[in-house]
Amino acid sequence: MKRKILFAVVVVCALAPLFSIDFGGRISSTTKYQGVNFSSLKWYESAKVHLWLTQQFNENLRLSSDISYEFRYDQNADTIKNIIDVNLLKLTGTFHRRTADTIEFGVGRFAVSDATGVVFNQVNDGIFAKVSVPAGSISAYAGITRLLNSHDAVILRQDSDTIVPTSSAKALYVLGPKYIPLGFTLSLTPLFLNQTFTAEEWIFLDYSDDRYYRSFWTFMLSGPLARNVFYTASTTIGSENLGTVSNLSKFALSYFPVKNATVGFNALYASGNNGSLSAFRGFTSQTAVLATETVDFSTEYEGKLKFGVSGSYMIASRVYLGADCTVVFSCFDTLAYNGFQWQFNVMWNIFHDLQLSAGMYQYVAQKNENNKTCFLLTGTFVF
């Protein structure tokens, strides 16, 4: 027995130099004070530790992993959570058939996003494959949501926006709902004037007792309009159980006047009950919508019309300044002004392994009870 163990150790030591192994970690802390107005701010704290490891088997094959522990305290809800999660466990392969043709695949748990970044944008377990040629690319994805931790991945179901019951709030890991996401994407690159056309379909099969199926078809154009001016325009048709029709349309324009500076304009329409259209409802909950996530909207993208401008500037590759303002209208049945949002944030890369950021945003709603104010401070240390 001892000889077998010794032999195994010798084999591992002999093969170790053939693989490139890298590992490290990240510690981050986020402090928020948020509420309806300045006199009602509540404390929210998140402290998180990541440990990651990558192993390069050869020039084509790579294994990446990331696990985390997070402590959360929410004064408003008077809850404390301890959460353990696997954020990344992915085997990736990249192969070249010819000089310009590439075949990629990924299997495991990794971040997935649809073309809009709104419908389906989260970590998920699944298989991804993509074939790229000079004329464009085609890709497919198939996965399952059941093994996700519902503390981190909120899926919009038929009757609720969150699936973590109060009785499970203190659990380290809460299994997700039963869905099978299927995605197909076609991208054509060398179109007229260097424009890119993307067509995408996402289907979400519900194998629980709810049988709440959803499907989305997206068509997108993007590319340059002039020197230093770029745009992205998309429209998405959604359906629930193939019995409704809804729409999400987005437009974004980016202008780079000088080096390290960006000016942008964006617009978004998510249908309510507008004529023959039903209310738009994505698949996953977006956590970065900031102040426009008010009680007037049951989800972040439903019965909503937004127009926004933004700007950013990078100082000496170390300090990032960003600001934006957005006007929000509700359009559940009729168009009505809902509120105005502004946001400012700054990020300072003190060293290559230490980063601090701070920000503030405020939503001034038509109804005072829908106001929202937030101050936040984040620190990140990489080791």
PDB file of all heavy atoms in Angstrom, residues 244-268:
ATOM      1  N   THR A 244     -48.812  35.178 -25.101  1.00  0.00           N
ATOM      2  CA  THR A 244     -48.733  36.634 -25.037  1.00  0.00           C
ATOM      3  C   THR A 244     -47.597  37.119 -25.929  1.00  0.00           C
ATOM      4  O   THR A 244     -46.695  36.355 -26.294  1.00  0.00           O
ATOM      5  CB  THR A 244     -48.487  37.113 -23.603  1.00  0.00           C
ATOM      6  OG1 THR A 244     -47.195  36.632 -23.167  1.00  0.00           O
ATOM      7  CG2 THR A 244     -49.557  36.603 -22.660  1.00  0.00           C
ATOM      8  N   VAL A 245     -47.615  38.412 -26.236  1.00  0.00           N
ATOM      9  CA  VAL A 245     -46.549  39.057 -27.003  1.00  0.00           C
ATOM     10  C   VAL A 245     -46.161  40.344 -26.279  1.00  0.00           C
ATOM     11  O   VAL A 245     -47.014  41.185 -25.987  1.00  0.00           O
ATOM     12  CB  VAL A 245     -46.978  39.376 -28.446  1.00  0.00           C
ATOM     13  CG1 VAL A 245     -45.872  40.126 -29.173  1.00  0.00           C
ATOM     14  CG2 VAL A 245     -47.347  38.109 -29.190  1.00  0.00           C
ATOM     15  N   SER A 246     -44.870  40.488 -25.961  1.00  0.00           N
ATOM     16  CA  SER A 246     -44.368  41.693 -25.302  1.00  0.00           C
ATOM     17  C   SER A 246     -43.124  42.168 -26.033  1.00  0.00           C
ATOM     18  O   SER A 246     -42.581  41.453 -26.891  1.00  0.00           O
ATOM     19  CB  SER A 246     -44.047  41.413 -23.830  1.00  0.00           C
ATOM     20  OG  SER A 246     -43.071  40.377 -23.726  1.00  0.00           O
ATOM     21  N   ASN A 247     -42.655  43.367 -25.688  1.00  0.00           N
ATOM     22  CA  ASN A 247     -41.518  43.938 -26.412  1.00  0.00           C
ATOM     23  C   ASN A 247     -40.574  44.678 -25.474  1.00  0.00           C
ATOM     24  O   ASN A 247     -41.001  45.395 -24.561  1.00  0.00           O
ATOM     25  CB  ASN A 247     -42.008  44.902 -27.497  1.00  0.00           C
ATOM     26  CG  ASN A 247     -40.857  45.553 -28.250  1.00  0.00           C
ATOM     27  OD1 ASN A 247     -40.563  46.735 -28.086  1.00  0.00           O
ATOM     28  ND2 ASN A 247     -40.165  44.778 -29.067  1.00  0.00           N
ATOM     29  N   LEU A 248     -39.288  44.499 -25.729  1.00  0.00           N
ATOM     30  CA  LEU A 248     -38.225  45.283 -25.095  1.00  0.00           C
ATOM     31  C   LEU A 248     -37.356  45.850 -26.215  1.00  0.00           C
ATOM     32  O   LEU A 248     -36.799  45.092 -27.010  1.00  0.00           O
ATOM     33  CB  LEU A 248     -37.376  44.402 -24.176  1.00  0.00           C
ATOM     34  CG  LEU A 248     -36.110  45.066 -23.628  1.00  0.00           C
ATOM     35  CD1 LEU A 248     -36.463  46.035 -22.508  1.00  0.00           C
ATOM     36  CD2 LEU A 248     -35.110  44.027 -23.121  1.00  0.00           C
ATOM     37  N   SER A 249     -37.222  47.169 -26.272  1.00  0.00           N
ATOM     38  CA  SER A 249     -36.399  47.816 -27.285  1.00  0.00           C
ATOM     39  C   SER A 249     -35.374  48.710 -26.609  1.00  0.00           C
ATOM     40  O   SER A 249     -35.706  49.433 -25.659  1.00  0.00           O
ATOM     41  CB  SER A 249     -37.250  48.649 -28.252  1.00  0.00           C
ATOM     42  OG  SER A 249     -38.114  47.812 -29.004  1.00  0.00           O
ATOM     43  N   LYS A 250     -34.134  48.654 -27.105  1.00  0.00           N
ATOM     44  CA  LYS A 250     -33.040  49.416 -26.505  1.00  0.00           C
ATOM     45  C   LYS A 250     -32.241  50.129 -27.596  1.00  0.00           C
ATOM     46  O   LYS A 250     -32.102  49.628 -28.713  1.00  0.00           O
ATOM     47  CB  LYS A 250     -32.091  48.492 -25.727  1.00  0.00           C
ATOM     48  CG  LYS A 250     -32.706  47.796 -24.526  1.00  0.00           C
ATOM     49  CD  LYS A 250     -31.685  46.871 -23.869  1.00  0.00           C
ATOM     50  CE  LYS A 250     -30.505  47.652 -23.319  1.00  0.00           C
ATOM     51  NZ  LYS A 250     -29.506  46.768 -22.685  1.00  0.00           N
ATOM     52  N   PHE A 251     -31.703  51.299 -27.214  1.00  0.00           N
ATOM     53  CA  PHE A 251     -30.807  52.030 -28.112  1.00  0.00           C
ATOM     54  C   PHE A 251     -29.729  52.703 -27.270  1.00  0.00           C
ATOM     55  O   PHE A 251     -30.029  53.300 -26.227  1.00  0.00           O
ATOM     56  CB  PHE A 251     -31.559  53.090 -28.921  1.00  0.00           C
ATOM     57  CG  PHE A 251     -30.667  53.900 -29.817  1.00  0.00           C
ATOM     58  CD1 PHE A 251     -30.217  53.390 -31.023  1.00  0.00           C
ATOM     59  CD2 PHE A 251     -30.241  55.172 -29.434  1.00  0.00           C
ATOM     60  CE1 PHE A 251     -29.378  54.133 -31.844  1.00  0.00           C
ATOM     61  CE2 PHE A 251     -29.410  55.918 -30.244  1.00  0.00           C
ATOM     62  CZ  PHE A 251     -28.966  55.389 -31.454  1.00  0.00           C
ATOM     63  N   ALA A 252     -28.490  52.583 -27.703  1.00  0.00           N
ATOM     64  CA  ALA A 252     -27.381  53.213 -26.990  1.00  0.00           C
ATOM     65  C   ALA A 252     -26.426  53.827 -28.004  1.00  0.00           C
ATOM     66  O   ALA A 252     -26.104  53.221 -29.027  1.00  0.00           O
ATOM     67  CB  ALA A 252     -26.638  52.190 -26.127  1.00  0.00           C
ATOM     68  N   LEU A 253     -25.977  55.050 -27.699  1.00  0.00           N
ATOM     69  CA  LEU A 253     -25.050  55.782 -28.552  1.00  0.00           C
ATOM     70  C   LEU A 253     -23.857  56.202 -27.711  1.00  0.00           C
ATOM     71  O   LEU A 253     -24.025  56.769 -26.626  1.00  0.00           O
ATOM     72  CB  LEU A 253     -25.734  57.014 -29.143  1.00  0.00           C
ATOM     73  CG  LEU A 253     -24.971  57.810 -30.199  1.00  0.00           C
ATOM     74  CD1 LEU A 253     -24.866  57.004 -31.496  1.00  0.00           C
ATOM     75  CD2 LEU A 253     -25.658  59.139 -30.453  1.00  0.00           C
ATOM     76  N   SER A 254     -22.652  55.914 -28.185  1.00  0.00           N
ATOM     77  CA  SER A 254     -21.428  56.250 -27.452  1.00  0.00           C
ATOM     78  C   SER A 254     -20.525  57.126 -28.310  1.00  0.00           C
ATOM     79  O   SER A 254     -20.306  56.832 -29.493  1.00  0.00           O
ATOM     80  CB  SER A 254     -20.668  54.978 -27.059  1.00  0.00           C
ATOM     81  OG  SER A 254     -21.450  54.159 -26.220  1.00  0.00           O
ATOM     82  N   TYR A 255     -20.018  58.192 -27.700  1.00  0.00           N
ATOM     83  CA  TYR A 255     -19.117  59.119 -28.381  1.00  0.00           C
ATOM     84  C   TYR A 255     -17.858  59.276 -27.542  1.00  0.00           C
ATOM     85  O   TYR A 255     -17.921  59.476 -26.328  1.00  0.00           O
ATOM     86  CB  TYR A 255     -19.808  60.475 -28.569  1.00  0.00           C
ATOM     87  CG  TYR A 255     -18.902  61.574 -29.083  1.00  0.00           C
ATOM     88  CD1 TYR A 255     -18.140  61.389 -30.236  1.00  0.00           C
ATOM     89  CD2 TYR A 255     -18.826  62.792 -28.420  1.00  0.00           C
ATOM     90  CE1 TYR A 255     -17.313  62.389 -30.707  1.00  0.00           C
ATOM     91  CE2 TYR A 255     -18.006  63.807 -28.884  1.00  0.00           C
ATOM     92  CZ  TYR A 255     -17.244  63.593 -30.029  1.00  0.00           C
ATOM     93  OH  TYR A 255     -16.420  64.589 -30.483  1.00  0.00           O
ATOM     94  N   PHE A 256     -16.694  59.158 -28.195  1.00  0.00           N
ATOM     95  CA  PHE A 256     -15.401  59.276 -27.531  1.00  0.00           C
ATOM     96  C   PHE A 256     -14.720  60.552 -28.019  1.00  0.00           C
ATOM     97  O   PHE A 256     -13.977  60.535 -29.006  1.00  0.00           O
ATOM     98  CB  PHE A 256     -14.535  58.058 -27.846  1.00  0.00           C
ATOM     99  CG  PHE A 256     -15.171  56.748 -27.423  1.00  0.00           C
ATOM    100  CD1 PHE A 256     -16.034  56.071 -28.277  1.00  0.00           C
ATOM    101  CD2 PHE A 256     -14.917  56.218 -26.181  1.00  0.00           C
ATOM    102  CE1 PHE A 256     -16.625  54.876 -27.890  1.00  0.00           C
ATOM    103  CE2 PHE A 256     -15.500  55.018 -25.775  1.00  0.00           C
ATOM    104  CZ  PHE A 256     -16.358  54.355 -26.631  1.00  0.00           C
ATOM    105  N   PRO A 257     -14.985  61.681 -27.355  1.00  0.00           N
ATOM    106  CA  PRO A 257     -14.469  62.969 -27.845  1.00  0.00           C
ATOM    107  C   PRO A 257     -12.957  63.075 -27.753  1.00  0.00           C
ATOM    108  O   PRO A 257     -12.317  63.637 -28.645  1.00  0.00           O
ATOM    109  CB  PRO A 257     -15.162  63.991 -26.938  1.00  0.00           C
ATOM    110  CG  PRO A 257     -15.488  63.228 -25.688  1.00  0.00           C
ATOM    111  CD  PRO A 257     -15.772  61.837 -26.130  1.00  0.00           C
ATOM    112  N   VAL A 258     -12.378  62.590 -26.660  1.00  0.00           N
ATOM    113  CA  VAL A 258     -10.931  62.593 -26.462  1.00  0.00           C
ATOM    114  C   VAL A 258     -10.542  61.273 -25.805  1.00  0.00           C
ATOM    115  O   VAL A 258     -11.397  60.492 -25.379  1.00  0.00           O
ATOM    116  CB  VAL A 258     -10.474  63.785 -25.561  1.00  0.00           C
ATOM    117  CG1 VAL A 258     -10.732  65.112 -26.242  1.00  0.00           C
ATOM    118  CG2 VAL A 258     -11.159  63.720 -24.207  1.00  0.00           C
ATOM    119  N   LYS A 259      -9.267  61.050 -25.693  1.00  0.00           N
ATOM    120  CA  LYS A 259      -8.786  59.829 -25.057  1.00  0.00           C
ATOM    121  C   LYS A 259      -9.246  59.783 -23.599  1.00  0.00           C
ATOM    122  O   LYS A 259      -9.231  60.779 -22.894  1.00  0.00           O
ATOM    123  CB  LYS A 259      -7.256  59.776 -25.130  1.00  0.00           C
ATOM    124  CG  LYS A 259      -6.657  58.484 -24.594  1.00  0.00           C
ATOM    125  CD  LYS A 259      -5.152  58.501 -24.720  1.00  0.00           C
ATOM    126  CE  LYS A 259      -4.558  57.210 -24.168  1.00  0.00           C
ATOM    127  NZ  LYS A 259      -3.072  57.201 -24.280  1.00  0.00           N
ATOM    128  N   ASN A 260      -9.694  58.603 -23.178  1.00  0.00           N
ATOM    129  CA  ASN A 260     -10.116  58.321 -21.796  1.00  0.00           C
ATOM    130  C   ASN A 260     -11.439  58.964 -21.411  1.00  0.00           C
ATOM    131  O   ASN A 260     -11.792  58.985 -20.228  1.00  0.00           O
ATOM    132  CB  ASN A 260      -9.050  58.750 -20.779  1.00  0.00           C
ATOM    133  CG  ASN A 260      -7.746  57.996 -20.949  1.00  0.00           C
ATOM    134  OD1 ASN A 260      -7.748  56.850 -21.391  1.00  0.00           O
ATOM    135  ND2 ASN A 260      -6.644  58.634 -20.597  1.00  0.00           N
ATOM    136  N   ALA A 261     -12.189  59.503 -22.372  1.00  0.00           N
ATOM    137  CA  ALA A 261     -13.475  60.128 -22.067  1.00  0.00           C
ATOM    138  C   ALA A 261     -14.576  59.524 -22.941  1.00  0.00           C
ATOM    139  O   ALA A 261     -14.344  59.189 -24.110  1.00  0.00           O
ATOM    140  CB  ALA A 261     -13.421  61.633 -22.280  1.00  0.00           C
ATOM    141  N   THR A 262     -15.769  59.377 -22.355  1.00  0.00           N
ATOM    142  CA  THR A 262     -16.906  58.820 -23.065  1.00  0.00           C
ATOM    143  C   THR A 262     -18.157  59.613 -22.725  1.00  0.00           C
ATOM    144  O   THR A 262     -18.382  59.976 -21.568  1.00  0.00           O
ATOM    145  CB  THR A 262     -17.143  57.344 -22.684  1.00  0.00           C
ATOM    146  OG1 THR A 262     -15.960  56.587 -22.869  1.00  0.00           O
ATOM    147  CG2 THR A 262     -18.262  56.737 -23.522  1.00  0.00           C
ATOM    148  N   VAL A 263     -18.968  59.889 -23.741  1.00  0.00           N
ATOM    149  CA  VAL A 263     -20.273  60.498 -23.563  1.00  0.00           C
ATOM    150  C   VAL A 263     -21.289  59.567 -24.205  1.00  0.00           C
ATOM    151  O   VAL A 263     -21.078  59.072 -25.319  1.00  0.00           O
ATOM    152  CB  VAL A 263     -20.345  61.892 -24.210  1.00  0.00           C
ATOM    153  CG1 VAL A 263     -21.741  62.484 -24.053  1.00  0.00           C
ATOM    154  CG2 VAL A 263     -19.302  62.816 -23.593  1.00  0.00           C
ATOM    155  N   GLY A 264     -22.389  59.312 -23.489  1.00  0.00           N
ATOM    156  CA  GLY A 264     -23.353  58.354 -24.011  1.00  0.00           C
ATOM    157  C   GLY A 264     -24.785  58.820 -23.882  1.00  0.00           C
ATOM    158  O   GLY A 264     -25.128  59.665 -23.049  1.00  0.00           O
ATOM    159  N   PHE A 265     -25.635  58.250 -24.737  1.00  0.00           N
ATOM    160  CA  PHE A 265     -27.079  58.448 -24.671  1.00  0.00           C
ATOM    161  C   PHE A 265     -27.736  57.084 -24.786  1.00  0.00           C
ATOM    162  O   PHE A 265     -27.303  56.239 -25.569  1.00  0.00           O
ATOM    163  CB  PHE A 265     -27.567  59.356 -25.801  1.00  0.00           C
ATOM    164  CG  PHE A 265     -29.068  59.354 -25.953  1.00  0.00           C
ATOM    165  CD1 PHE A 265     -29.854  60.114 -25.113  1.00  0.00           C
ATOM    166  CD2 PHE A 265     -29.686  58.567 -26.923  1.00  0.00           C
ATOM    167  CE1 PHE A 265     -31.239  60.106 -25.235  1.00  0.00           C
ATOM    168  CE2 PHE A 265     -31.067  58.554 -27.050  1.00  0.00           C
ATOM    169  CZ  PHE A 265     -31.845  59.331 -26.206  1.00  0.00           C
ATOM    170  N   ASN A 266     -28.770  56.840 -23.989  1.00  0.00           N
ATOM    171  CA  ASN A 266     -29.448  55.555 -24.064  1.00  0.00           C
ATOM    172  C   ASN A 266     -30.945  55.732 -23.883  1.00  0.00           C
ATOM    173  O   ASN A 266     -31.416  56.668 -23.230  1.00  0.00           O
ATOM    174  CB  ASN A 266     -28.900  54.587 -23.010  1.00  0.00           C
ATOM    175  CG  ASN A 266     -29.127  55.073 -21.593  1.00  0.00           C
ATOM    176  OD1 ASN A 266     -30.190  54.875 -21.008  1.00  0.00           O
ATOM    177  ND2 ASN A 266     -28.111  55.752 -21.034  1.00  0.00           N
ATOM    178  N   ALA A 267     -31.685  54.817 -24.489  1.00  0.00           N
ATOM    179  CA  ALA A 267     -33.141  54.813 -24.380  1.00  0.00           C
ATOM    180  C   ALA A 267     -33.610  53.368 -24.270  1.00  0.00           C
ATOM    181  O   ALA A 267     -33.001  52.463 -24.845  1.00  0.00           O
ATOM    182  CB  ALA A 267     -33.772  55.490 -25.590  1.00  0.00           C
ATOM    183  N   LEU A 268     -34.681  53.154 -23.516  1.00  0.00           N
ATOM    184  CA  LEU A 268     -35.210  51.816 -23.311  1.00  0.00           C
ATOM    185  C   LEU A 268     -36.722  51.871 -23.213  1.00  0.00           C
ATOM    186  O   LEU A 268     -37.285  52.763 -22.570  1.00  0.00           O
ATOM    187  CB  LEU A 268     -34.621  51.191 -22.043  1.00  0.00           C
ATOM    188  CG  LEU A 268     -35.086  49.784 -21.659  1.00  0.00           C
ATOM    189  CD1 LEU A 268     -33.949  48.985 -21.037  1.00  0.00           C
ATOM    190  CD2 LEU A 268     -36.269  49.855 -20.670  1.00  0.00           C
TER     191      LEU A 268
END
